[in-house]
Amino acid sequence: MTTVGVLTGGGDCPGLNAVIRAVVRTGAKHGFDTIGIRDGWLGLVAGNVEPLTDYSVTGILPKGGTILGTSRTNPFKNEADVQRLSDNIRKFGIDAIVAIGGEDTLGVANKLSKMGIPVVGVPKTIDNDVAATDYTFGFDTAVSIVTEAIDRLHTTAESHHRIMVVEVMGRHAGWIATVAGIAGGADEILIPEIPFDLDEVTRHLKARYERGKQFSIVVVAEGAQPKGMKEAIAQSARTDEFGHVTLGGVGNYLRDELEKRLDTEVRVTVLGHVQRGGSPTAHDRVLATRFGVAAADLIKEKEFGKMVALQGNDIVAVPLEEAVANLKTVDMDLYGIASIFYGG
Ligand code: F6P
């Protein structure tokens, strides 16, 4: 009997439960037992696991979050933790691990794979910045939430003749800002990939007023920063175990700067974790399910050290190494489409 351990690491994301369900159900068809590892890599270090049965995954498909819990634990920060993790893999008789996560969780998976531990990765993040896959699940849900928020902000912005700044997630990549911004008809989209020029933003917004449009919507990714600023604006300097600070504040920065430059009221909405919570869209449920099925199939074929990925309409397997080599930043052709509408 093959025993598969499954874990979810990093920030949660709609669709995690759909993957877990698919791994358990497909695994059962292949004759596997599945163990749920609690709270990402922390569960393997601490030996916190539980059996996952068909019954435990009943009804979880549409549920947001993760029934397994998550954490940003990095076992490689400490050699003793790597030893504990290896000991627990043996202790619980785990033959293969399905690691569902973004750059950090998959980075750990890749290191463990290089140590000879059988691992398969599943790409997750609302940020959509994992390389080698066209999309991660969770992204579509976040985009839907942000688009709805922009639509709502539009009507109130128009009524009050205000500039509305919407701060959205996106640490290293501005996928959410770009796609939701296009979908919501944003008048300016600021992303981490392109440091912004406040004078240029001001010019675009002024051009709208000159055309008689007395309101504007500016979408800014939390990781965006003005030209010349060395680091993104953070809520605090405290870092997680992978060295990331908690971002936040660029929306307020923009409000202050734009109010200085334009004689108009500017308001800020920070969407924050609302973007990560709640039920996944149908698209994300299907993608997550396809990923989970493919991950269990890879284990059956003993294809370890790989990550399932979406390329075109196909689910494929790519080396974990390739997936974690760099981040997938925004397609500049797509961003170019967004910028056609600035100043209009
Ligand atoms: O999962 C990615 C992400 O949502 C980033 O966009 C964001 O910077 C980060 O997670 C926030 O993480 P936390 O919930 O730990 O503050």
Side-chain angles (χ1 to χ4, degrees):
M1 179 66 92
T2 300
T3 299
V4 175
V6 58
L7 64 85
T8 53
D12 73 339
C13 147
L16 286 167
N17 288 323
V19 182
I20 296 167
R21 169 180 173 270
V23 169
V24 172
R25 295 257 166 97
T26 315
K29 291 220 159 67
H30 295 330
F32 304 161
D33 274 342
T34 308
I35 288 177
I37 299 162
R38 307 273 330 170
D39 301 332
W41 297 115
L42 179 64
L44 262 193
V45 172
N48 191 1
V49 303
E50 62 180 291
L52 286 180
T53 62
D54 185 64
Y55 183 74
S56 19
V57 297
T58 292
I60 68 171
L61 172 66
K63 258 190 95 178
T66 161
I67 59 163
L68 294 175
T70 186
S71 73
R72 295 192 186 275
T73 301
N74 179 5
F76 285 96
K77 272 198 87 180
N78 176 347
E79 243 174 66
D81 283 351
V82 180
Q83 190 55 51
R84 281 188 202 106
L85 180 148
S86 311
D87 292 347
N88 281 326
I89 290 174
R90 258 190 308 278
K91 177 174 159 192
F92 297 112
I94 295 172
D95 300 301
I97 297 169
V98 177
I100 312 168
E103 49 157 336
D104 299 325
T105 305
L106 295 172
V108 170
N110 186 42
K111 285 185 185 162
L112 294 175
S113 170
K114 284 186 177 154
M115 288 166 52
I117 294 173
V119 193
V120 163
V122 177
K124 154 265 46 158
T125 165
I126 63 163
D127 288 3
N128 195 38
D129 59 1
V130 177
T133 184
D134 291 350
Y135 289 101
T136 51
F137 65 88
F139 172 64
D140 184 67
T141 308
V143 166
S144 305
I145 294 165
V146 175
T147 303
E148 193 197 333
I150 295 173
D151 288 349
R152 288 176 186 277
L153 290 167
H154 248 120
T155 59
T156 172
E158 205 166 349
S159 307
H160 286 266
H161 319 299
R162 282 172 174 155
I163 294 175
M164 292 291 194
V165 173
V166 195
E167 183 181 308
V168 303
M169 281 190 172
R171 177 178 289 280
H172 306 290
W175 285 102
I176 297 175
T178 303
V179 176
I182 293 172
D187 303 302
E188 188 80 40
I189 301 170
L190 306 174
I191 59 175
E193 288 87 339
I194 310 173
F196 57 85
D197 179 342
L198 279 164
D199 293 336
E200 199 180 323
V201 176
T202 306
R203 239 187 348 265
H204 293 157
L205 299 178
K206 267 195 180 145
R208 275 179 58 75
Y209 281 84
E210 279 152 18
R211 285 163 159 258
K213 298 185 180 171
Q214 291 183 303
F215 72 96
S216 292
I217 304 283
V218 177
V219 180
V220 60
E222 60 182 354
Q225 57 196 85
K227 269 185 186 158
M229 196 180 269
K230 287 220 168 58
E231 271 157 25
I233 299 168
Q235 285 180 40
S236 86
R238 203 184 54 226
T239 57
D240 68 17
E241 293 195 8
F242 291 91
H244 306 307
V245 293
T246 307
L247 294 177
V250 68
N252 289 337
Y253 169 85
L254 267 174
R255 179 203 49 219
D256 295 348
E257 292 300 323
L258 292 176
E259 279 193 342
K260 270 189 234 157
R261 291 169 161 79
L262 295 157
D263 187 24
T264 316
E265 202 178 356
V266 182
R267 294 293 181 96
V268 185
T269 301
V270 180
L271 291 178
H273 292 85
V274 168
Q275 296 160 92
R276 272 200 349 221
S279 192
T281 57
H283 176 278
D284 277 338
R285 293 181 202 188
V286 174
L287 181 59
T289 300
R290 292 177 80 196
F291 278 163
V293 169
D297 288 349
L298 282 184
I299 292 172
K300 183 171 174 243
E301 302 305 325
K302 298 200 184 321
E303 293 255 1
F304 301 120
K306 302 259 173 83
M307 180 189 84
V308 296
L310 179 73
Q311 293 185 354
N313 280 325
D314 299 325
I315 303 291
V316 298
V318 297
L320 266 172
E321 186 73 45
E322 199 182 305
V324 300
N326 45 50
L327 284 167
K328 185 184 68 194
T329 51
V330 167
D331 173 353
M332 286 302 140
D333 288 342
L334 187 67
Y335 188 77
I337 288 175
S339 58
I340 288 170
F341 298 91
Y342 298 170

